[in-house]
Amino acid sequence: MNLDEALDTFVAEAEELLGNMEDALLGMKRGSAAEDAIHAIFRAAHTIKGSAGLFGLDFVVGFTHTAESVLDLVRAGELEMDAAMVELMLEVCDHLGSLISLVRQGDLPDADLQGSASLLTARLQNYLEKNNPPSLPEVEAAGVVSDCWHISLRFGQDVLRYGMDPFSFIRYLGKMGRIVGMHTLTDGIPRLSAMDPESCHLGFEIRFESAADKETIESVFDFVKEDCRIVILAPHSMIEKYRILIEELPEDDMLLGEILVKCGSLTQNELDAALRIQASAPIGEVLVGQGMVRAPVVEAALEKQKQGRDAKAGEVSLIRVDSSKLDRLIDLVGELIIVGSSASLFAQRSGVAELLEITSSMSRMVEEVRDTALSLRMVQIGATFNRFQRVVHDVSRELGKDIRLEIGGAETELDKVVVEKIADPLTHLVRNSMDHGIEPEAARIASGKPACGTLKLNAYHDSGSIVIEVSDDGGGLNREKILKKAIEKGIVAADANLADQEICQLIFEAGFSTADKVSNLSGRGVGMDVVRRNIQDLRGSIELDSVEGQGTTTRIRLPLTLSIIDGCQVAVGKSSYVIPLDMVIECIEFEGGQDEAGQSGYLNLRGEVLPYLRLREYFEVDEAAQKRQNVVVVQYAGRRAGLVVDSLLGELQTVIKPLGRMFGGVKGIGGFTILGSGEVALILDVQRLLQQAEEREQKNSGRNLTIMEESRS
């Protein structure tokens, strides 16, 4: 076993469990099912502690053990998970996260972390000391005289196939105490002719002397407990427990009894007493403690257990894959697409029917491989949204506001690279909405709003893009205050005449802030400009809708993937361009004529006024225009426009490659791709082109208005 890989797996699983633990705690604050949440929290702590013990991470085990003990009391109904305990467990969760980060780095806790652990442990111990359950009187006076533990162990048949050595567990057990007696059960070993050397048929009955507790002894077998049968009986256990052990084990009762006597776990008199209790149970009934359970009840319980095992066996198996391997796979698929395009182009030029058929089939298969590879990198945005439950919880406490988070569209999928890079901009937008947007409780009540503010995160697909919305029901943007601040900072001229949307966009300017004082959350004028820049780096856009007194919605539009898309190839002169196919609505013949001046104009599209942009003039193409031109109607964020091109070259799979720094500022270009011929085609940035068309439309409208006013005068 590669211990480094195993430790990496432990860290990844521990971080996932801590995330589940935090979600469950925050869910309890929101009023979700308390019982399910408590079990989820306990399971997370128990699993982390057990796994950490396998790697000898005592600083994780020791701290988690105390928290687990408190949670066990909560689970048993002896303690109540009130608001104070939820806050304490959130601090425990944070501390465990810090410890797991140390494990990832290969470090040990420093003095500060040890001090934090001591303080948290002391607070947890308070719960344990106040709720020590009183010792219950023994129901049965008949207990065994042995002062040793008894371990009944049956290894599963596949334990060797999993790379486990049964005797290594016995040797490790010897380090925790002294094996006083042990008997090896070999009755399950088949005849030599039927022997499978990879199957294990061993069992052990062990008398074990140790000062360790039961959980510590159980942790020795954590790696194999799912595939083995392990029963651990404490020193001086009741005879009834040994009777149940003898009854449940597959071997003959008398043989097992003799083995227990030989190990020293039972005396002959104790064995006789256990067998007498067993013989006194009527047929069809099983003694449990001092009561009886009828066979139908047992059968129902067994059936439920069987259903649980079957459900577990039917679960979809998951495998963890290093993200760098997925990135490499996408790169290789991109190169395969380029090579496939070259092969298709050669087949078309050759005119060989068989070759054309082969390349056509290969193109379909490459497209399927592309879609499958891209789907491997698609993740649901819900995991990112759920992280903000904690952000909202902490920030609302810091601000002294009552704010709840609502999540929609959590199942929406997009590329993992986009998810990773959008987390920081979303964090700033959420904090900004809570600090600037949602008013204090008194102000909300005075304006007739609920005392509790609402922050919403929503995601959905639209025109080949994913839209992420951050909205609040706060006071909205004060446009007068924004404009005044912008004039004070010299961002706009004092006599500037700006539309409402242009005023709202001023908050994305560098150094701009409307906060009256600097706080831990805002006021320094940094953040929103970085948000816009990061989103633009992802080939996305950001919009603001705000109604003063009612709230603000920030809308982010992002591409589904940053690597491979379907494109529509067009030509302008001798140059080729690619338009993202998801944004193409239709293609029509251009009837505007060749002699019209200017880069833009309007078309009558079935009664709809459609602005258009001539790519020939926009990119200053010198070649003579063709007699027949075409218009590609594109749509982005609900806006439509036409792009006038010379010819349509058809669809193609497009591998997006980023432009260098020298060309990064060119408006209207979002990247480039390599065609099958080896030539380079520019990928059009439809969003920027639509903005250019709108700006020219506004300028033309203003110029026409001026001409009309001058003619009237």
Side-chain angles (χ1 to χ4, degrees):
M1 179 184 296
N2 188 324
L3 289 180
D4 290 337
E5 291 183 2
L7 190 61
D8 290 341
T9 301
F10 160 70
V11 170
E13 291 180 348
E15 290 174 343
E16 183 177 340
L17 287 168
L18 287 175
N20 296 338
M21 185 176 178
E22 184 177 279
D23 290 343
L25 287 166
L26 294 172
M28 292 188 69
K29 292 203 69 173
R30 297 192 301 271
S32 61
E35 185 176 354
D36 293 341
I38 289 169
H39 286 297
I41 296 165
F42 177 83
R43 283 195 302 270
H46 179 73
T47 305
I48 290 173
K49 190 192 82 169
S51 300
L54 296 175
F55 295 97
L57 302 173
D58 295 335
F59 59 92
V60 178
V61 174
F63 176 76
T64 314
H65 177 72
T66 309
E68 183 191 25
S69 300
V70 175
L71 291 169
D72 196 26
L73 291 176
V74 175
R75 191 176 60 152
E78 299 176 24
L79 275 177
E80 181 184 357
M81 179 71 85
D82 55 13
M85 187 182 290
V86 170
E87 296 296 338
L88 176 58
M89 286 300 168
L90 284 172
E91 294 181 43
V92 168
C93 193
D94 291 340
H95 185 76
L96 279 173
S98 301
L99 296 181
I100 297 301
S101 297
L102 287 179
V103 174
R104 182 187 292 278
Q105 299 164 10
D107 295 332
L108 294 174
D110 56 16
D112 291 339
L113 268 180
Q114 290 176 359
S116 300
S118 299
L119 292 174
L120 287 172
T121 302
R123 292 168 63 186
L124 292 167
Q125 286 289 355
N126 289 335
Y127 284 100
L128 296 177
E129 292 171 3
K130 293 177 182 178
N131 293 273
N132 278 332
S135 57
L136 299 175
E138 293 292 344
V139 177
E140 294 180 80
V144 299
V145 297
S146 173
D147 56 358
C148 294
W149 295 86
H150 183 81
I151 303 173
S152 180
L153 181 61
R154 302 291 185 275
F155 283 103
Q157 288 194 6
D158 295 328
V159 69
L160 296 175
R161 294 186 179 91
Y162 295 153
M164 302 296 177
D165 178 8
F167 293 104
S168 65
F169 296 95
I170 306 298
R171 288 193 295 269
Y172 187 75
L173 194 65
K175 295 181 180 180
M176 300 173 58
R178 184 170 67 94
I179 297 177
V180 179
M182 182 172 70
H183 189 92
T184 304
L185 295 166
T186 58
D187 295 349
I189 299 178
R191 292 182 300 175
L192 190 61
S193 59
M195 175 75 75
D196 181 357
E198 292 186 352
S199 295
C200 179
H201 304 280
L202 296 177
F204 299 92
E205 296 293 330
I206 304 169
R207 185 186 180 200
F208 181 54
E209 185 181 65
S210 175
D213 59 14
K214 185 177 180 180
E215 289 181 336
T216 304
I217 298 173
E218 284 180 338
S219 67
V220 173
F221 306 99
D222 274 347
F223 272 128
V224 292
K225 64 183 180 182
E226 298 294 335
D227 303 294
C228 299
R229 190 187 186 286
I230 305 166
V231 178
I232 301 175
L233 299 181
H236 307 292
S237 292
M238 297 299 103
I239 291 177
E240 170 64 18
K241 293 185 178 180
Y242 281 91
R243 197 276 308 165
I244 295 173
L245 174 67
I246 294 172
E247 184 178 76
E248 291 182 348
L249 291 176
E251 289 81 11
D252 179 77
D253 291 353
M254 291 303 297
L255 174 62
L256 277 172
E258 293 176 6
I259 292 172
L260 294 176
V261 172
K262 288 180 181 179
C263 288
S265 297
L266 289 179
T267 64
Q268 186 62 48
N269 289 335
E270 291 166 348
L271 173 62
D272 293 341
L275 294 177
R276 281 197 302 272
I277 294 173
Q278 181 173 332
S280 66
I283 297 175
E285 296 180 348
V286 180
L287 278 171
V288 179
Q290 294 296 310
M292 290 187 179
V293 180
R294 298 189 178 278
V297 179
V298 177
E299 292 172 2
L302 293 174
E303 179 63 24
K304 187 173 182 180
Q305 290 180 357
K306 180 178 181 297
Q307 291 174 358
R309 289 194 298 269
D310 293 343
K312 184 176 180 181
E315 290 177 356
V316 178
S317 59
L318 300 176
I319 182 171
R320 295 182 182 272
V321 179
D322 191 341
S323 60
S324 61
K325 294 181 179 179
L326 289 180
D327 296 339
R328 176 58 180 161
L329 174 62
I330 298 299
D331 291 340
L332 290 174
V333 170
E335 297 301 321
L336 179 62
I337 289 173
I338 294 173
V339 174
S341 298
S342 299
S344 297
L345 183 62
F346 175 77
Q348 291 173 5
R349 290 175 177 174
S350 67
V352 179
E354 292 82 356
L355 185 57
L356 285 169
E357 184 177 353
I358 291 172
T359 53
S360 177
S361 299
M362 185 183 71
S363 297
R364 288 194 301 271
M365 295 179 66
V366 168
E367 187 172 352
E368 291 182 10
V369 171
R370 179 205 67 178
D371 293 340
T372 303
L374 288 176
S375 68
L376 295 176
R377 287 210 319 191
M378 300 297 281
V379 297
Q380 292 187 351
I381 200 170
T384 301
F385 280 177
N386 285 330
R387 296 176 192 170
F388 290 101
Q389 297 282 7
R390 184 64 186 278
V391 174
V392 172
H393 171 269
D394 293 344
V395 174
S396 60
R397 290 185 64 200
E398 182 178 347
L399 295 172
K401 299 178 181 179
D402 185 9
I403 302 173
R404 72 171 184 268
L405 176 65
E406 295 182 0
I407 292 176
E411 70 284 352
T412 307
E413 292 187 337
L414 71 164
D415 196 298
K416 76 172 187 66
V417 177
V418 180
V419 171
E420 292 168 356
K421 293 185 177 181
I422 199 61
D424 287 342
L426 277 181
T427 300
H428 190 88
L429 291 174
V430 166
R431 292 164 67 97
N432 208 50
S433 290
M434 298 176 69
D435 190 15
H436 290 295
I438 298 178
E439 315 96 324
E441 182 176 335
R444 292 181 62 85
I445 294 175
S447 61
K449 293 182 178 180
C452 178
T454 302
L455 180 69
K456 296 181 181 179
L457 288 175
N458 187 33
Y460 57 90
H461 292 288
D462 180 45
S463 300
S465 302
I466 182 172
V467 180
I468 302 173
E469 292 181 343
V470 181
S471 57
D472 62 71
D473 64 347
L477 295 178
N478 188 328
R479 290 170 174 79
E480 292 182 4
K481 187 175 182 180
I482 293 173
L483 185 58
K484 182 180 177 181
K485 284 280 186 179
I487 293 173
E488 289 177 1
K489 293 181 175 293
I491 297 175
V492 297
D495 57 348
N497 185 17
L498 301 179
D500 285 350
Q501 188 59 231
E502 292 175 318
I503 294 175
C504 292
Q505 290 292 324
L506 290 175
I507 69 172
F508 294 108
E509 296 296 327
F512 185 85
S513 176
T514 58
D516 296 322
K517 60 180 181 179
V518 175
S519 67
N520 292 334
L521 296 176
S522 61
R524 301 186 185 276
V526 295
M528 294 300 282
D529 59 320
V530 177
V531 168
R532 181 170 63 177
R533 186 165 61 249
N534 289 345
I535 291 172
Q536 288 176 348
D537 290 343
L538 293 171
R539 296 190 290 110
S541 63
I542 185 168
E543 306 165 2
L544 277 172
D545 288 332
S546 181
V547 178
E548 193 166 347
Q550 297 183 21
T552 302
T553 297
T554 306
R555 192 171 294 106
I556 301 172
R557 291 183 178 271
L558 296 166
L560 290 176
T561 180
L562 303 177
S563 50
I564 304 172
I565 61 171
D566 285 322
C568 175
Q569 185 180 358
V570 299
V572 179
K574 296 180 181 179
S575 302
S576 293
Y577 299 90
V578 176
I579 305 172
L581 192 61
D582 288 332
M583 299 181 185
V584 176
I585 303 300
E586 61 179 316
C587 299
I588 59 175
E589 187 175 352
F590 181 53
E591 299 177 353
Q594 301 183 42
D595 299 326
E596 293 185 12
Q599 298 181 8
S600 59
Y602 296 94
L603 287 174
N604 182 355
L605 182 62
R606 296 183 294 276
E608 176 188 353
V609 177
L610 181 75
Y612 68 83
L613 191 69
R614 294 173 181 265
L615 294 185
R616 171 176 295 278
E617 280 76 14
Y618 184 83
F619 291 116
E620 299 180 358
V621 178
D622 296 332
E623 291 92 346
Q626 296 181 4
K627 292 183 179 180
R628 297 182 62 181
Q629 294 180 304
N630 299 276
V631 178
V632 181
V633 182
V634 294
Q635 176 175 294
Y636 181 83
R639 297 171 295 185
R640 287 190 179 191
L643 302 178
V644 181
V645 300
D646 287 351
S647 56
L648 307 172
L649 302 180
E651 299 179 15
L652 82 161
Q653 299 180 64
T654 305
V655 181
I656 302 174
K657 296 186 176 295
L659 295 169
R661 289 186 178 180
M662 182 180 297
F663 304 101
V666 178
K667 295 182 178 180
I669 301 297
F672 74 94
T673 188
I674 300 175
L675 302 176
S677 61
E679 298 176 348
V680 171
L682 296 177
I683 300 172
L684 298 181
D685 186 342
V686 173
Q687 173 203 349
R688 300 289 184 272
L689 290 175
L690 285 175
Q691 289 178 353
Q692 294 290 316
E694 288 179 353
E695 290 174 5
R696 287 190 170 86
E697 179 184 351
Q698 292 173 359
K699 289 180 180 179
N700 291 337
S701 299
R703 185 172 63 250
N704 293 337
L705 182 61
T706 302
I707 293 173
M708 290 175 63
E709 290 177 350
E710 290 177 352
S711 63
R712 288 174 182 173
S713 61

